């Protein structure tokens, strides 16, 4: 029997061959569809995922029919190979391959995994070599979509990591001469990669070229200093020292990272023009252990340094610059958060928000994060135990905001910046206090010289002194003046000093007599040089609560198209009046926010300010409402008023875009809710309601409770009964999730009365649905069943078919929990038919799960297994790992009841792995069950 092999290749152009003969795959778009399926071969790819992967945010008008035609043609092509098929599954498509088919991408990853697990260097190098030979060119050559481009970049990083691992092996095996040409080319392509630099230095040294090795070290050191603001790592310095003493025996390749996943690297970019502060940097260096020792001993307690000083004095710049310098001393990562302690908008980050952000950064899944600040702080400190992590807490308000964020064990270091001297931290936590003062004239001159060149400053010493005096030695002000001078290389410093003096004179009324007030003169000088439209946008941004603003939100605020807003924002960032800290997201320094707020109050009418606030609120509200609909696939009982002209809500097209938007914007939305003026009270409860699903699924229940508490207060002031009902509904959900059953029931009861008073059936349905879930959780299934009947009645009255489907599934579930399995079955079948018609994968998954449970208890094991498999496929699509774990546990029970212990054990093992990853308490009983079998 002749076995014909089928090969699919994406590590280069997208190709397929049968028995070595190429297969015609069609045009580029059709090959992109095949590539999108091959990446997840043998797994479901949803229709929405395929659409996003092929067309990004610009699908054709008849996207589903177009996609169907591509898939039909690919089916015809693949049918002839006999080793691959494309099948339609609920929610999407699966490309299934036979054992005789290979996909080079998956072969590459498998070989790399085997190589890294191999005990013998020769065997490992052979496996790495086989993996890398699969690469023919850049992945998906000639294909160009946002998803493919992102994946191509990821795969290139995987390839580089494998090349570096192979390089380590070959150097250990003494093959440095053969490796040298490849390493030279790689160092040219990756000049800032210290691991590449170390390998090249070692190869040069062993080839008898120590001078070239040292020369490459110096070039790397200069590049790191100039472009990243950091020096070489200790590992690279060790190689340099060994080359200098001509010690070939002790030199070893730099070790690869032991755990590259889950190591946070959150430091903001440092200033490339950072100048001075030598004493402060030396003081901070003294906090570190003696890294010259072979095994530095960690300090006996957590080191806390509190850097304090006035606004704009450069506390953050100093802290970030130093953190970048010493980040290699903290190999387990660097955590950073701006606590916004002195934000003019009042949106101070609570300790609970900060701890949650750090847990996210450390890779903890939402389902593993416990309730309550104390428990979350305990988990955070447990994760940092026995690790060396730098924690940078920027712009703290007081010691109380900082304490829960301090590591609990020696080895890590917390660096805090604040306008206040945090003396209580020194008293209780042994913090070391470092006050940062205004720059001395000599340091200020160095800052200007570093930005403008020493010759230009030395040519006009009196003008430079005048600029320094007018800026009061404040680094922020000096940086703005330097930016202006750089933009006008032909203008004398004397002319700039004169302009500054004139601006200062016109702003005497704003001068409170201290250095922080005098900086307004510098701000005004930069502001006066803006175009009229950029100045208008700058003023309007003073109305925004922060902590940042996205491009399209800024466009809505100013009532301009997004392209025009981008141009204006570029003008503001170019003048250092705004910072684009990530692509398309902009932030103020808090002094600049205060200055913009003063300007908008002074120069823009009350009517224009009111209209701008209305636009930005409608922008956020209507976008959030649409995003929530994409996440839930349900009709919300809230009806919004039409958005005002210019609000321009974002056009989100699928679940992934909605989730990404909420992820980026939810800190802003929470700040907006806290800031909303009473005149716009309805926006508060509507926006809080739109956040329900996202915050609930993310486990951000304290934030959900805070948002609805604010909404409730505003609704009470306006006696808004609809607002009160929805705020109580949201608070009930938040309290329920946090285990506060009595408080949850109280809020739900108030909401139910209010929705009844308003005749709002959809609202009443959701309350009964939540009350039913609470009854079920405490084992009272008859009470839960009564709530489910009321839920269905109200959803019928509201003509909400998606709600009806969920209520029918709940009726079936509660009946089967009461032992009425045959009565339960028709309810769940009705639910499934309706929910498939509506296209709700989450609801469909849960309904299949209910059907599996029912069939198992009816002794219909084959049908139960089929139902659970449908449910598990959909849970993987929706990312509901908790429900997937429960589904595997139930599937195992079904196999056991059917007399198939091997399949039962396999399903239970998969369930246990998921429960353990989630940190779920069900892992213990399931582990005990597996041990008994």
């Amino acid at each position: 029997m002749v076995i014909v092999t089928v090969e699919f290749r994406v590590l280069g152009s997208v190709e397929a061959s049968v028995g070595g003969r190429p297969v015609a795959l069609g045009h580029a778009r059709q090959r992109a569809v095949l590539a999108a399926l091959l990446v997840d071969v043998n797994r479901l790819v949803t229709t929405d995922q395929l659409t996003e992967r092929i067309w990004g945010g610009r699908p054709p008008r008849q996207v589903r029919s177009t996609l169907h035609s591509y898939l039909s043609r690919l089916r015809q092509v693949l049918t002839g190979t006999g080793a691959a098929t494309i099948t339609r599954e609920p929610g999407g498509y699966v490309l299934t391959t036979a054992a005789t088919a290979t996909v080079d991408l998956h072969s590459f990853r498998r070989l790399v995994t085997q190589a890294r697990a191999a005990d013998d260097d020769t065997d490992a190098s052979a496996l790495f070599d086989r993996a890398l030979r699969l690469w023919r060119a850049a992945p998906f050559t000639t294909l160009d979509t946002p998803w493919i481009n992102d994946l191509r970049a990821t795969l290139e990083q995987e390839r580089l990591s494998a090349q570096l691992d192979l390089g380590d092996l070959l150097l250990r095996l003494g093959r440095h001469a053969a490796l040298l040409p490849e390493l030279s080319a790689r160092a040219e392509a990756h000049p800032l990669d210290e691991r590449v630099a170390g390998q090249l230095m070692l190869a040069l040294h062993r080839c008898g070229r120590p001078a070239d090795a040292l020369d490459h070290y110096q070039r790397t050191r200069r590049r790191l200093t100039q472009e990243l603001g950091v020096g070489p790592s200790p590992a690279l310095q060790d190689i340099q020292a060994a080359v200098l003493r001509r010690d070939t025996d002790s030199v070893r390749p730099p070790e690869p990272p032991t755990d590259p996943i889950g190591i946070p690297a959150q430091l903001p970019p440092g200033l490339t023009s950072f100048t001075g502060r030598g004493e402060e940097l030396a003081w901070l260096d003294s906090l570190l252990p003696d890294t010259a020792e072979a095994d530095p001993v960690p300090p006996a307690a957590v080191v806390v340094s509190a850097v304090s000083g006035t606004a704009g004095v450069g506390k953050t710049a100093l802290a970030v610059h130093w953190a970048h310098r010493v980040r290699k001393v903290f190999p387990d990562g660097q955590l950073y958060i701006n606590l916004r302690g002195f934000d003019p908008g009042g949106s101070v980050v609570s300790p609970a928000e900060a701890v949650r952000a750090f847990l996210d950064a450390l890779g903890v899944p939402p389902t593993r994060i416990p309730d309550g600040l104390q428990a979350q702080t305990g988990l955070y400190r447990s994760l940092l135990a026995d690790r060396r992590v730098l924690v940078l807490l920027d712009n703290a308000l007081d010691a109380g905001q900082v304490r829960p964020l301090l590591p609990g064990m020696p080895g890590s270091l917390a660096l805090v910046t604040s306008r206040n001297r945090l003396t209580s931290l020194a008293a209780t936590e042994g913090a070391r206090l470092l006050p940062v003062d205004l720059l001395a004239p000599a340091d200020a001159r160095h800052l200007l010289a570093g930005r403008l060149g020493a010759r230009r400053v030395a040519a006009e010493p009196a003008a430079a002194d005048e600029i320094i005096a007018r800026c009061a030695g404040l680094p922020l002000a000096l940086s703005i003046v330097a930016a202006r001078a750089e933009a006008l290389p032909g203008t004398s410093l004397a002319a700039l000093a004169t302009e500054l003096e004139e601006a200062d004179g016109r702003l005497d009324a704003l001068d409170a007599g201290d250095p922080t007030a005098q900086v307004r003169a510098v701000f005004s000088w930069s502001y006066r040089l803006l175009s009229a439209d950029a100045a208008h946008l700058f003023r309007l941004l003073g109305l925004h609560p922060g902590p940042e603003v996205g491009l399209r939100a800024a466009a809505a605020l100013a009532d301009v198209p997004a392209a025009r807003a981008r141009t204006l924002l570029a003008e503001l960032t170019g003048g250092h009046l705004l910072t684009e800290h990530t692509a398309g997201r902009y932030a103020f320094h808090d002094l600049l926010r205060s200055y913009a707020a003063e300007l908008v109050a002074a120069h823009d009418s009350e009517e224009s300010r009111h209209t701008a606030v209305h636009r930005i609120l409608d922008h956020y509200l209507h976008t959030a409402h649409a995003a929530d609909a994409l996440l839930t696939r349900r009709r919300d009982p809230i009806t919004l008023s039409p958005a005002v002209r210019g609000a321009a809500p974002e056009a989100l097209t699928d679940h992934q875009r909605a989730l990404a938007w909420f992820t980026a914007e939810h800190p802003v939305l929470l700040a907006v809710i806290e800031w909303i003026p009473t005149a716009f009270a309805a926006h508060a409860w509507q926006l809080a309601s739109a956040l329900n699903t996202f915050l609930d699924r993310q486990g951000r229940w304290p934030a959900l409770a805070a948002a609805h508490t604010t909404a409730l207060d505003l609704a009470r002031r306006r006696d808004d009964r609809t607002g009160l009902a929805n705020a109580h509904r949201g608070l009930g959900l938040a309290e329920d999730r946090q285990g506060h059953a009595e408080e949850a029931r109280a809020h739900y009861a108030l909401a139910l009365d209010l929705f009844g008073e308003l005749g709002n059936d959809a609202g009443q349905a959701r309350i009964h649905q939540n009350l039913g879930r609470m009854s079920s959780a405490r084992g009272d299934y008859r009470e839960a069943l009564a709530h489910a009947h009321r839920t269905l009645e109200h959803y019928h009255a509201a003509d909400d078919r998606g709600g009806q489907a969920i209520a029918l599934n709940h009726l079936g579930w509660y009946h089967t929990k009461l032992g009425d399995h045959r009565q339960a079955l028709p309810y769940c079948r009705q639910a499934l038919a309706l929910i498939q018609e509506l296209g709700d994968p989450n609801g469909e998954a849960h309904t299949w799960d209910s059907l599996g449970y029912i069939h198992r208890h009816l002794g219909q094991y084959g049908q139960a297994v089929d139902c659970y498999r449908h449910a598990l496929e959909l849970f993987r699509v929706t990312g509901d790992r908790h429900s997937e774990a429960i589904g595997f546990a139930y599937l195992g029970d079904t196999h056991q009841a059917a007399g198939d212990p091997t399949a039962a054990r396999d399903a239970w093992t998969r369930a246990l792995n998921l429960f353990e990853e989630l940190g779920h308490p069900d892992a213990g009983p399931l582990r005990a069950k597996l041990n008994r079998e």
Side-chain angles (χ1 to χ4, degrees):
M1 177 179 176
V2 178
I3 298 176
V4 178
T5 59
V6 179
E7 295 178 283
F8 293 99
R9 294 182 289 274
V10 298
L11 300 178
S13 56
V14 178
E15 301 173 358
S17 64
V18 178
R21 296 189 303 275
V23 175
L25 297 175
H27 54 72
R29 193 74 75 183
Q30 190 166 297
R31 283 184 283 115
V33 173
L34 177 61
L37 291 169
L38 285 170
V39 169
D40 286 300
V41 69
N42 298 322
R43 294 186 61 181
L44 180 79
V45 181
T46 68
T47 304
D48 286 345
Q49 287 174 320
L50 276 175
T51 302
E52 172 64 21
R53 292 178 181 187
I54 307 309
W55 289 283
R58 304 180 65 181
R61 182 166 298 179
Q62 303 294 330
V63 62
R64 289 187 179 270
S65 61
T66 303
L67 184 60
H68 181 73
S69 69
Y70 292 162
L71 289 163
S72 296
R73 293 175 204 156
L74 285 171
R75 278 197 192 98
Q76 294 172 9
V77 170
L78 296 178
T79 298
T81 68
T85 58
I86 298 175
T87 56
R88 178 77 169 93
E89 299 285 352
Y93 298 86
V94 178
L95 191 155
T96 305
T97 58
T100 55
T102 61
V103 181
D104 59 357
L105 166 60
H106 303 298
S107 298
F108 166 76
R109 286 174 165 169
R110 185 182 66 256
L111 288 165
V112 167
T113 299
Q114 292 172 355
R116 287 172 176 154
D119 294 325
D120 180 80
D121 282 356
T122 301
D123 292 342
S125 63
L127 288 165
F128 273 124
D129 186 67
R130 284 177 58 196
L132 291 166
R133 286 181 184 276
L134 294 171
W135 285 69
R136 295 166 291 117
F140 317 108
T141 303
T142 73
L143 301 185
D144 182 17
T145 75
W147 176 80
I148 282 176
N149 292 338
D150 288 346
L151 180 57
R152 181 183 294 121
T154 299
L155 292 173
E156 290 285 5
Q157 284 299 315
E158 291 183 31
R159 180 190 194 185
L160 175 61
S161 178
Q163 289 171 331
L164 291 173
D165 286 353
L166 176 58
D168 287 347
L169 292 169
L170 295 178
L171 287 169
R172 283 205 294 271
L173 292 168
R175 301 177 190 173
H176 39 271
L179 189 60
L180 189 56
E182 181 182 333
L183 284 176
S184 299
R186 192 170 299 142
E188 187 71 25
H190 303 279
L192 297 176
D193 192 310
E194 293 183 75
R195 194 173 168 203
V196 174
Q199 289 184 351
L200 177 58
M201 289 174 62
L202 181 55
L204 288 166
H205 181 44
R206 289 184 172 175
C207 288
R209 297 167 57 183
D212 290 338
L214 295 171
D215 182 61
H216 186 70
Y217 174 85
Q218 293 301 332
R219 288 200 305 274
T220 303
R221 182 189 61 78
R222 284 194 296 271
R223 292 288 293 269
L224 289 168
T225 303
Q226 293 168 2
E227 298 186 31
L228 299 181
V230 299
S233 67
L236 203 61
Q237 294 177 44
D238 288 345
I239 293 177
Q240 182 216 21
V243 173
L244 285 170
R245 62 176 182 266
R246 297 185 180 276
D247 183 359
T248 56
D249 293 332
S250 67
V251 183
R252 294 291 181 270
E255 291 295 323
T258 56
D259 181 16
I261 299 171
I263 298 179
Q266 294 188 308
L267 295 178
L271 292 175
T272 56
S273 58
F274 186 88
T275 303
R277 302 296 190 193
E279 291 183 8
E280 290 86 348
L281 291 169
W283 186 94
L284 289 168
D285 286 341
S286 71
L287 303 176
L288 299 175
D290 184 3
T291 54
E293 298 178 15
D295 184 16
V297 179
V302 175
V303 177
V304 183
S305 174
V307 178
S308 61
T310 190
V313 80
K315 302 180 296 297
T316 297
L318 169 65
V320 171
H321 178 76
W322 182 78
H324 276 291
R325 284 202 340 171
V326 302
R327 63 187 177 87
K328 298 296 184 183
V329 181
F330 300 94
D332 297 312
Q334 306 86 40
L335 294 167
Y336 170 87
I337 192 166
N338 181 357
L339 296 172
R340 304 200 300 271
F342 297 88
D343 193 303
S347 54
V348 177
V349 175
S350 70
E353 291 177 274
V355 168
R356 175 56 197 264
F358 283 166
L359 291 175
D360 287 343
L362 291 165
V364 182
T367 48
R368 284 193 58 195
I369 296 176
D371 296 337
L373 175 60
Q374 185 173 358
Q376 291 180 5
T377 300
L379 174 59
Y380 161 66
R381 287 175 173 159
S382 297
L383 291 172
L384 296 193
D386 301 319
R387 301 179 75 186
R388 297 188 61 80
V389 176
L390 176 63
V391 182
L392 178 46
L393 307 171
D394 194 18
N395 198 14
L397 177 63
D398 54 31
Q401 191 185 22
V402 167
R403 283 194 179 95
L405 309 177
L406 300 178
M409 298 288 287
S412 294
L413 184 147
L415 183 60
V416 187
T417 74
S418 177
R419 292 190 199 174
N420 292 329
R421 288 180 65 86
L422 303 178
T423 51
S424 64
L425 276 183
T428 58
E429 273 73 35
R432 304 279 299 278
L433 303 181
L434 173 63
V436 178
D437 206 346
L438 299 169
L439 288 175
D443 285 337
R445 183 180 288 274
H446 284 144
L447 188 153
L448 285 179
R451 293 288 299 273
L452 305 179
R455 182 175 299 178
R456 187 175 180 187
V457 172
E460 297 184 78
D465 289 341
E466 179 68 15
I467 289 171
I468 291 167
R470 291 288 173 184
C471 291
L474 200 65
L476 175 63
L478 286 163
S479 296
I480 293 174
V481 175
R484 176 63 178 158
E486 284 179 297
L488 297 170
T491 301
S492 68
L493 296 186
L496 296 173
T498 301
E499 280 194 54
L500 184 55
E501 181 181 3
E502 291 171 355
D504 197 14
R506 283 197 299 272
L507 286 167
D508 282 343
L510 296 177
D511 188 349
D514 61 65
T516 62
Q518 292 170 14
V519 76
R520 289 171 176 154
V522 178
F523 294 165
S524 73
W525 186 42
S526 297
Y527 169 76
R528 287 190 306 112
L529 298 171
L530 296 172
S531 66
D533 286 350
H536 183 231
L537 175 56
F538 178 75
R539 295 196 305 273
L540 292 179
L541 286 170
L543 299 171
H544 192 280
E548 59 187 26
V549 65
L551 168 65
R552 296 189 182 279
L557 187 64
D559 192 15
V560 297
R564 178 61 177 157
R566 191 188 304 277
T567 301
L568 299 178
L569 290 164
E571 185 177 346
L572 293 175
T573 56
H576 290 254
L577 292 172
L578 209 60
T579 302
E580 187 178 11
H581 63 92
T582 56
R585 303 198 66 79
Y586 302 83
F588 273 127
H589 184 282
D590 50 11
L591 283 180
L592 284 163
R593 185 186 296 282
S594 295
Y595 179 59
E598 291 176 352
L599 288 177
V600 75
H603 297 290
D604 295 85
S605 69
E606 183 177 352
E607 180 183 357
S608 67
R609 297 197 303 271
H610 180 90
T611 304
V613 168
H614 201 166
R615 280 196 304 270
I616 192 64
L617 288 178
D618 272 10
H619 171 83
Y620 284 131
L621 175 58
H622 283 264
T623 308
H625 191 263
D628 182 55
L630 288 167
L631 292 188
T632 61
R633 301 291 179 92
R634 295 280 312 287
R635 188 172 66 193
D636 195 279
I638 297 170
T639 301
L640 303 181
S641 300
V644 296
R645 186 190 65 81
E650 297 196 35
L652 305 173
T653 56
D654 55 36
H655 180 281
Q656 287 81 8
R657 289 179 182 272
L659 184 60
W661 186 84
F662 269 130
T663 301
E665 295 288 359
H666 78 271
V668 178
L669 302 179
L670 293 169
V672 165
I673 292 170
E674 294 295 321
W675 157 81
I676 285 175
T678 305
F680 295 100
H683 284 74
W685 68 260
Q686 290 170 343
L687 190 51
S689 295
L691 278 162
N692 280 347
T693 300
F694 173 78
L695 293 176
D696 180 34
R697 291 182 183 176
Q698 291 287 309
R700 298 179 182 275
W701 301 305
L704 182 63
H708 281 288
T709 299
T710 300
L712 186 67
D713 180 57
L714 284 170
R716 280 174 176 156
R717 291 187 210 171
R718 307 282 289 192
D719 193 26
D720 181 347
R721 313 296 283 175
T722 304
L724 288 169
N726 281 280
H728 280 301
R729 175 168 73 96
L731 279 167
L733 175 63
E735 297 291 359
D736 181 12
R737 295 303 199 202
Q738 295 179 90
H740 308 149
E742 289 186 16
E743 293 88 340
R745 278 193 290 271
H747 282 296
Y748 283 147
L750 289 167
L752 192 60
D753 288 344
L754 285 162
F755 281 129
E757 174 190 319
L758 294 164
N760 186 325
D761 284 293
Q764 292 177 81
R766 292 194 175 205
I767 298 301
H768 280 295
Q769 184 176 316
N770 290 334
L771 288 170
R773 187 182 65 241
M774 291 185 71
S775 300
S776 175
R778 65 174 187 271
D780 192 340
Y781 298 113
R782 294 205 176 277
E783 185 177 279
L785 192 63
H787 282 300
H789 278 295
R790 298 296 304 278
T791 301
L792 183 60
E793 291 170 10
H794 284 297
Y795 276 135
H796 272 299
D799 193 27
D800 184 342
R801 299 177 73 224
Q804 293 166 35
I806 289 173
L808 287 166
N809 181 45
H810 286 173
L811 283 167
W813 179 252
Y814 298 144
H815 272 297
T816 201
K817 294 299 285 186
L818 287 165
D820 302 330
H821 308 304
R822 294 199 179 277
Q823 192 171 354
L825 199 56
Y827 282 117
C828 289
R829 284 175 174 166
Q830 288 180 65
L832 183 64
L834 183 53
I835 219 158
Q836 285 179 329
E837 178 186 339
L838 296 171
D840 176 4
N842 183 63
E844 185 180 346
H846 283 284
T847 307
W848 278 118
D849 182 79
S850 298
L851 285 165
Y853 189 90
I854 294 166
H855 283 300
R856 172 161 67 95
H857 284 82
L858 288 171
Q860 299 163 349
Y861 301 123
Q863 290 172 273
V865 167
D866 289 341
C867 291
Y868 280 129
R869 284 175 176 165
H870 281 302
L872 289 166
E873 288 171 2
L874 288 167
F875 283 137
R876 280 192 289 273
V877 171
T878 61
D880 190 343
R881 301 176 74 220
H882 178 225
S883 296
E884 185 182 355
I886 294 172
F888 272 120
Y890 283 156
L891 178 62
D893 293 343
T894 306
H895 282 307
Q896 184 191 43
D900 190 344
T902 302
R905 187 171 188 83
D906 177 66
W908 285 333
T909 301
R910 297 180 73 173
L912 178 62
N913 291 338
L914 284 166
F915 279 133
E916 287 179 335
E917 287 177 23
L918 296 170
H920 197 278
D922 284 356
L926 187 56
R927 190 182 302 107
K929 179 190 286 190
L930 277 165
N931 290 336
R932 288 195 302 269
E933 296 300 324

